[in-house]
Amino acid sequence: MALWQPARLPSGFRELWCQELYSLAELATLRARLRVELTGSAAVEHPQREHWAERLVLISDELASNALRHGGAPVAAALSRGEDEWLISVSDSSTEVPPAPAEGRDPGLGGFGLYLVADLAARHGWFRQPGAKTVWAVVAAQD
């Protein structure tokens, strides 16, 4: 079975915001915005308590950077909140190419971010819609 299965966005989430990204340089702004939304601070102040938030920041960074590198700008990253979970979804215009983790590659060459996302997320998936592909991941909120 493939690691990244097609799956629609999970239900029960309310979108809080969506940010368009046009270059890799904008990822720092996305990370800071996520930290502020998740913890109230753009910097990591309490790593022992904020590990779940940093998990979502890392996942978001991986998904958005993949979309910018392989899907092309503009990319849209949306943050949504559920009862006790957060959802990050990232859309790009590359509908032909599904997310595909690297296989048979020297680890020194990179390309293993999708494995990392799959390991860190509570659940993940992707889907196509007219003109866009969206990848998503869910992380449980913890205090």
Side-chain angles (χ1 to χ4, degrees):
M1 176 159 82
L3 180 64
W4 279 80
Q5 293 291 319
R8 299 295 295 174
L9 286 175
S11 61
F13 289 87
R14 179 179 54 86
E15 186 175 300
L16 302 175
W17 50 259
C18 183
Q19 180 174 335
E20 284 196 356
L21 303 165
Y22 295 89
S23 71
L24 292 171
E26 294 175 288
L27 291 175
T29 303
L30 175 65
R31 289 189 299 267
R33 185 175 186 183
L34 283 163
R35 285 186 183 106
V36 168
E37 185 73 44
L38 300 171
T39 68
S41 173
V44 179
E45 294 182 356
H46 307 285
Q48 67 280 11
R49 290 195 323 239
E50 298 171 4
H51 62 279
W52 66 271
E54 284 307 296
R55 185 178 306 134
L56 188 60
V57 169
L58 178 58
I59 287 169
S60 303
D61 193 68
E62 287 291 337
L63 295 181
S65 64
N66 279 353
L68 286 163
R69 286 185 179 102
H70 307 294
V75 166
L79 180 68
S80 301
R81 175 72 195 228
E83 181 72 25
D84 58 353
E85 294 179 310
W86 295 90
L87 167 70
I88 189 75
S89 58
V90 177
S91 300
D92 63 53
S93 59
S94 179
T95 59
E96 322 75 51
V97 183
E103 292 182 16
R105 182 186 302 172
D106 180 334
L109 298 175
F112 292 88
L114 291 175
Y115 289 109
L116 181 67
V117 171
D119 284 345
L120 294 176
R123 54 192 188 280
H124 63 279
W126 70 280
F127 63 95
R128 289 185 182 106
Q129 56 200 23
K133 170 185 73 219
T134 300
V135 293
W136 58 267
V138 172
V139 170
Q142 301 171 358
D143 294 337

